[in-house]
Amino acid sequence: MEFISAATDRWTLIPEDRPVTPAAHTLLSWAQWRHMREQWPAGLPVGVSFPNDADIEVLADDLARLELVVLHFPKWTDGRAYSQARLLRSRYRYRGEIRGTGDVVVDMTPLMARTGFDTAVLREGQSVEVAQRTLGFFPAYYQGDVRQHQPLFVRKDKVNA
């Protein structure tokens, strides 16, 4: 998992009150994307910031055109973005970047990785170094996830066969 800061972010978020002009690596809100998707030039990299209280299924037809989907954690106790990420990876086979933003703390990063997030913007005051160490605490999980679909007991059987 990569941790994004303002200095390392290549995407430009367009505020809701400003007009949208197509440009590479533009990050739009869901409302802006719905308004612009018909005019957006094919092949021009675009990302969408998707609300965590909306049904991710409405994004399914646009996924092939999106290079980035940003999912929000308004509070660290609100886990709807985990479900959205998992659905994007497992049901819709989305291969683009999934980024977590909002109240993202280091303890969340292992589950974020297991549900399909590639990148995260940590909450202010969180340490990237600690988050990276947290990702290495458990070398394997019993249950399958979006990256390793089979449970551990099945994987061991295949290794021993």
Side-chain angles (χ1 to χ4, degrees):
M1 176 172 287
E2 182 180 346
F3 297 98
I4 305 297
S5 68
T8 61
D9 194 0
R10 65 183 175 138
W11 292 89
T12 303
L13 177 65
I14 306 298
E16 289 280 345
D17 60 345
R18 294 194 29 217
V20 175
T21 304
H25 299 103
T26 299
L27 177 59
L28 304 174
S29 69
W30 172 231
Q32 290 170 320
W33 174 246
R34 283 184 300 181
H35 180 71
M36 292 295 296
R37 73 174 132 198
E38 300 303 324
Q39 305 114 337
W40 198 265
L44 191 63
V46 62
V48 169
S49 182
F50 196 77
N52 83 330
D53 60 351
D55 186 349
I56 200 73
E57 184 177 329
V58 299
L59 199 56
D61 291 339
D62 298 324
L63 292 175
R65 299 178 62 194
L66 300 176
E67 200 169 291
L68 169 70
V69 175
V70 176
L71 301 176
H72 300 279
F73 291 93
K75 299 180 196 175
W76 68 270
T77 55
D78 185 335
R80 290 178 282 188
Y82 295 119
S83 300
Q84 290 175 320
R86 182 170 176 89
L87 287 172
L88 286 174
R89 293 290 187 219
S90 60
R91 183 177 296 169
Y92 301 109
R93 308 283 183 225
Y94 179 63
R95 299 286 179 230
E97 178 183 341
I98 300 176
R99 178 182 296 180
T101 63
D103 197 19
V104 177
V105 297
V106 295
D107 295 350
M108 298 166 62
T109 56
L111 186 55
M112 290 175 72
R114 296 187 70 213
T115 55
F117 286 90
D118 305 290
T119 59
V121 178
L122 294 173
R123 178 176 76 187
E124 188 173 324
Q126 297 291 295
S127 166
V128 170
E129 292 77 24
V130 172
Q132 289 169 333
R133 274 198 319 261
T134 302
L135 288 170
F137 283 170
F138 301 100
Y141 293 92
Y142 185 77
Q143 304 90 356
D145 59 32
V146 297
R147 300 191 195 288
Q148 178 54 258
H149 303 285
Q150 297 177 322
L152 185 62
F153 75 93
V154 173
R155 292 191 307 255
K156 282 186 173 182
D157 287 344
K158 286 190 172 189
V159 171
N160 293 333

